[in-house]
Amino acid sequence: MAHQHEHHHECCEHEHEHEHHHEHSLKEQLQLIVATIVLLIAAVLIEKNTDLPQWQLLLVYLVPYLLIGHDTLKEAIEGLLHGDAFNEHFLMSIATIGALCIGFLPGAESEFPEAVFVMLFFQVGELFEGYAEGKSRDSIAHLMDIRPDIAHIEVRGERLEVRDINPEDVEVGTVIVIRPGEKVPLDGMIIEGSTSLNTVALTGETMPREVAEDDEVISGCVNLSGVIRVRVTKTFGESTVSKILNLVENASEHKSKSEAFITRFARIYTPVVVIAAIALAIIPTLLGGSLVTWLYRALMFLVVSCPCALVISVPLTFFGGIGGASRKGILIKGSNYMDILAKVGTVVFDKTGTLTHGQFAVEAVHPERYSEHHLLHLAAHVEHFSTHPIGAALRDAFPEEATDGCHVSDVEEIAGQGIRAKVGEQIVCVGNPKMMNAIGAKWHDCHHVGTIIHVAIDGEYAGHIVINDKIKDDSAQAIAQLKQQGVEKTVMLTGDREEVGHHVAQQLALDEYHAELLPADKVSHVERLLSEKAADRQLAFVGDGINDAPVLARADVGIAMGGLGSDAAIEAADVVLMDDQPSKVALAIRIARNTIAIARQNVVFAIAVKVAVLLLATIGIATMWLAVFADVGVTVLAVLNAMRALRTA
């Protein structure tokens, strides 16, 4: 765990080209600030009430200055040694050392309190930044809670023993024991026991998930009720949990345009400012101005121009947005995808497994004779041994079939037609129209769209059962929300039959659908839609990733239904929805737009205040105190604004 946090801390620290080493905890930083304020007040009182010479006063003020500023001075020196001279620590150090020295020039007033105050305020800004970054990191660290610490493996010796080892050392095929209250350490299959799993850390879904023998379990869930024995199917490195952790930790490597711009901006901006400050001190003096006045203005110019607010708040905003989204079960692989999500104008959906459950279920029962219950009862018995998904759907619709004691015999599967069997004393045929024709039963079609299963009893038509791939509960809501957010076009691509595609598209009010497609056709449709969209709009593809990898990769942003661990999806997609809810697409777009808006506000606000105070400093209206506010005040406000990105809509 410690290693994980170190690595995470490192990779997030690189968010800032100007690294902020929070060498102290927030508590220590706060203590330093309070101690400095006390010493600064003491120094001001000494100056007012005694008549000490300048150099002795300097020593008095150096105590609080070095107490609060030693970190900043150290960073500035390190920056110089590493060739990264122009960072904000360097600007602050030069400005404050200049303020300490200016009083020794003839005719100048001493600026000792200002120098200490600039350093003090800079540290207050750092304190806020540390707090905000801690908040963002906590939001992502709740994902770290899914990281399992231990695995109990079974060892067969003289007798069966359970030994605790690191999940990273467990091999595929090993049997592990997971007790109530423990995290599932690795992906695997239950071989004994049943329980309910809390998947909230992975999916944001609060309802526990019931699992029993032969069900898969996924690392990162918490076992709630029963003891289960699980055969491991993936090593730790391949498991769902480590893939998710890698995604989140590497998110900062994919910089958004705003972040890349800020980094380039700071690299060019800082040297320009330093040169401008030197020019501001020298040129007016050569033209006959007072050296003291212009040197003071140049120092103020340096303090104001420090780009902290931008360098800190923009990456922090994206970091917060990614953290806030992960809390909702939406993993965004990098802040560059936030830029794209915010501009999505076309959303293309795969059908099966994305808008629909991808599992057959009984939608309607239309009996001619007998009751609905009885018709289902007979059909489920006949399909008892069928391996076809339709058989499974019929059995699921009538679970009592296994225990009602009916005797089934003479089961005969007729290829291309259906199944015939004897249930009790009745001969029941369950199949398609060909089967009904073969036995001379007078069947009729149904107004429902879907797979129609006809049933005949003792040669007479008894009715039919409609089976369909069920539309997800929130699919219609997902399309409606996208429309509200101004997405111009929603499209569905499916390999399913034309009438099924038409039926789903109509129910969900989609703008366009294309059915009976092969995976290659999906890519060509996406290519066409990409060429049709407006230049400033982006295309998102949402799929469950099993056969959608090529399309996910081709779209501007690929969104995968993580389905708790469909590997191909998690690899190919840029955004992963951990709980298979299509409505999360609209939420992801909303979070991205919110994050980008906050980043923009920070850039505009910071630059506007800086420019205004720089102009005032140049013409001599601004004081050092105003300069400090322009720098640190703006930073604190920008950081507080950035923290709003954590609160997802």
Side-chain angles (χ1 to χ4, degrees):
M1 192 70 188
H3 164 72
Q4 195 76 19
H5 277 309
E6 274 162 30
H7 167 66
H8 188 60
H9 199 73
E10 258 167 36
C11 83
C12 297
E13 288 298 350
H14 291 307
E15 289 276 324
H16 316 165
E17 291 297 308
H18 309 267
E19 285 181 26
H20 287 273
H21 300 281
H22 297 300
E23 290 177 8
H24 304 294
S25 69
L26 295 179
K27 196 173 162 193
E28 286 170 358
Q29 238 175 329
L30 199 57
Q31 287 166 346
L32 269 179
I33 288 167
V34 172
T36 305
I37 292 170
V38 172
L39 288 167
L40 178 59
I41 293 168
V44 171
L45 289 173
I46 291 170
E47 184 180 3
K48 290 270 182 290
N49 298 319
T50 60
D51 202 12
L52 292 174
Q54 283 283 70
W55 67 271
Q56 286 178 349
L57 269 180
L58 173 64
L59 294 178
V60 171
Y61 278 103
L62 270 178
V63 177
Y65 176 79
L66 291 173
L67 180 69
I68 197 74
H70 65 277
D71 262 0
T72 308
L73 294 167
K74 195 170 117 194
E75 294 278 341
I77 293 163
E78 275 179 18
L80 282 172
L81 295 176
H82 295 146
D84 172 28
F86 296 116
N87 59 32
E88 65 262 37
H89 301 284
F90 175 73
L91 289 180
M92 280 295 158
S93 303
I94 293 294
T96 51
I97 292 167
L100 288 173
C101 299
I102 200 166
F104 292 98
L105 289 173
E109 283 186 30
S110 70
E111 299 284 346
F112 298 145
E114 281 86 341
V116 179
F117 198 77
V118 169
M119 269 306 183
L120 180 64
F121 233 53
F122 184 59
Q123 284 301 326
V124 171
E126 291 262 293
L127 180 79
F128 269 90
E129 183 213 345
Y131 174 72
E133 200 166 281
K135 274 285 213 219
S136 299
R137 195 163 281 124
D138 287 346
S139 162
I140 287 177
H142 87 281
L143 269 180
M144 299 306 161
D145 291 345
I146 64 182
R147 188 184 171 82
D149 308 316
I150 205 154
H152 313 301
I153 64 163
E154 286 190 353
V155 187
R156 291 194 180 279
E158 295 282 315
R159 57 198 173 77
L160 191 62
E161 285 182 77
V162 175
R163 196 184 315 146
D164 294 351
I165 69 167
N166 188 326
E168 291 178 28
D169 302 330
V170 177
E171 292 173 11
V172 171
T174 309
V175 174
I176 57 174
V177 177
I178 305 161
R179 303 180 185 118
E182 294 182 336
K183 284 186 206 112
V184 176
L186 297 126
D187 295 8
M189 178 88 77
I190 298 179
I191 53 172
E192 189 187 323
S194 63
T195 186
S196 33
L197 295 176
N198 173 349
T199 63
V200 72
L202 289 172
T203 64
E205 178 189 2
T206 46
M207 280 292 288
R209 192 167 287 214
E210 301 299 323
V211 287
E213 263 177 58
D214 296 337
D215 285 337
E216 282 189 11
V217 291
I218 297 220
S219 48
C221 303
V222 176
N223 181 12
L224 294 176
S225 48
V227 176
I228 48 174
R229 292 174 64 227
V230 173
R231 176 164 285 114
V232 175
T233 52
K234 288 182 189 161
T235 59
F236 184 76
E238 283 300 304
S239 68
T240 308
V241 91
S242 75
K243 282 191 175 156
I244 292 167
L245 293 174
N246 284 341
L247 283 188
V248 176
E249 302 207 324
N250 298 328
S252 57
E253 287 174 16
H254 302 281
K255 285 235 167 96
S256 78
K257 284 184 189 149
S258 330
E259 280 184 279
F261 159 73
I262 293 298
T263 307
R264 288 200 308 274
F265 174 82
R267 278 210 192 109
I268 299 161
Y269 168 87
T270 318
V272 166
V273 161
V274 173
I275 292 160
I278 294 168
L280 191 61
I282 294 171
I283 295 168
T285 310
L286 293 177
L287 297 174
S290 151
L291 173 64
V292 173
T293 309
W294 288 103
L295 197 57
Y296 182 64
R297 288 180 190 179
L299 290 176
M300 266 193 304
F301 192 86
L302 276 182
V303 174
V304 179
S305 62
C306 172
C308 316
L310 292 178
V311 172
I312 294 165
S313 68
V314 172
L316 201 58
T317 306
F318 283 103
F319 195 45
I322 288 172
S326 73
R327 267 207 156 107
K328 299 278 187 193
I330 301 167
L331 295 182
I332 299 172
K333 287 192 186 178
S335 44
N336 54 333
Y337 301 119
M338 285 261 188
D339 282 342
I340 299 171
L341 275 173
K343 294 190 196 128
V344 164
T346 308
V347 181
V348 183
F349 291 93
D350 172 48
K351 178 185 81 76
T352 313
T354 303
L355 293 171
T356 65
H357 284 286
Q359 288 169 323
F360 282 118
V362 170
E363 192 175 87
V365 182
H366 296 154
E368 301 279 306
R369 301 157 45 202
Y370 306 106
S371 66
E372 287 187 13
H373 182 270
H374 193 65
L375 195 68
L376 257 183
H377 158 229
L378 292 171
H381 273 297
V382 171
E383 294 278 354
H384 182 79
F385 298 104
S386 164
T387 53
H388 194 279
I390 286 171
L394 288 168
R395 290 196 299 277
D396 289 345
F398 195 83
E400 305 100 282
E401 167 255 336
T403 56
D404 66 3
C406 275
H407 181 64
V408 182
S409 58
D410 306 337
V411 181
E412 183 187 356
E413 190 154 345
I414 299 156
Q417 292 188 12
I419 298 179
R420 176 166 55 213
K422 200 170 177 185
V423 181
E425 293 306 310
Q426 295 173 305
I427 291 172
V428 183
C429 296
V430 179
N432 58 18
K434 281 186 193 158
M435 184 172 225
M436 296 299 111
N437 292 337
I439 60 170
K442 288 189 169 52
W443 63 278
H444 61 84
D445 215 342
C446 181
H447 61 281
H448 275 260
V449 173
T451 305
I452 314 295
I453 306 296
H454 298 279
V455 182
I457 297 167
D458 292 334
E460 283 201 43
Y461 190 57
H464 53 255
I465 298 164
V466 184
I467 287 181
N468 240 334
D469 181 2
K470 271 182 71 178
I471 294 174
K472 287 183 183 174
D473 298 339
D474 68 336
S475 289
Q477 176 197 345
I479 305 299
Q481 284 174 348
L482 288 169
K483 290 267 179 259
Q484 278 168 9
Q485 288 179 3
V487 169
E488 292 99 9
K489 196 183 261 189
T490 52
V491 184
M492 180 181 76
L493 304 178
T494 178
D496 215 329
R497 302 195 316 281
E498 171 64 33
E499 62 267 29
V500 175
H502 178 72
H503 173 68
V504 173
Q506 209 172 15
Q507 290 225 292
L508 299 180
L510 290 158
D511 298 320
E512 197 180 303
Y513 77 94
H514 301 278
E516 301 182 17
L517 304 175
L518 297 167
D521 302 332
K522 287 186 184 178
V523 176
S524 53
H525 272 292
V526 166
E527 298 274 4
R528 173 182 61 78
L529 290 162
L530 280 167
S531 65
E532 287 173 6
K533 71 178 171 62
D536 61 335
R537 303 296 269 164
Q538 305 284 4
L539 179 141
F541 179 83
V542 189
D544 63 350
I546 310 300
N547 54 5
D548 297 324
V551 212
L552 282 168
R554 182 64 195 88
D556 293 320
V557 59
I559 303 175
M561 297 286 175
L564 273 183
S566 141
D567 292 359
I570 290 181
E571 298 297 327
D574 309 312
V575 178
V576 182
L577 308 179
M578 292 306 293
D579 60 0
D580 282 359
Q581 289 183 357
S583 58
K584 288 280 172 82
V585 176
L587 180 59
I589 291 174
R590 198 156 77 233
I591 290 171
R593 284 182 183 168
N594 186 29
T595 306
I596 300 284
I598 292 172
R600 281 213 183 106
Q601 288 160 13
N602 280 344
V603 170
V604 171
F605 171 65
I607 290 177
V609 175
K610 293 273 178 213
V611 169
V613 181
L614 280 175
L615 291 172
L616 293 176
T618 309
I619 56 176
I621 297 172
T623 61
M624 188 65 95
W625 303 97
L626 184 61
V628 171
F629 168 75
D631 177 53
V632 180
V634 170
T635 303
V636 170
L637 291 172
V639 165
L640 289 173
N641 194 27
M643 284 179 71
R644 285 179 31 229
L646 269 171
R647 290 207 311 274
T648 51

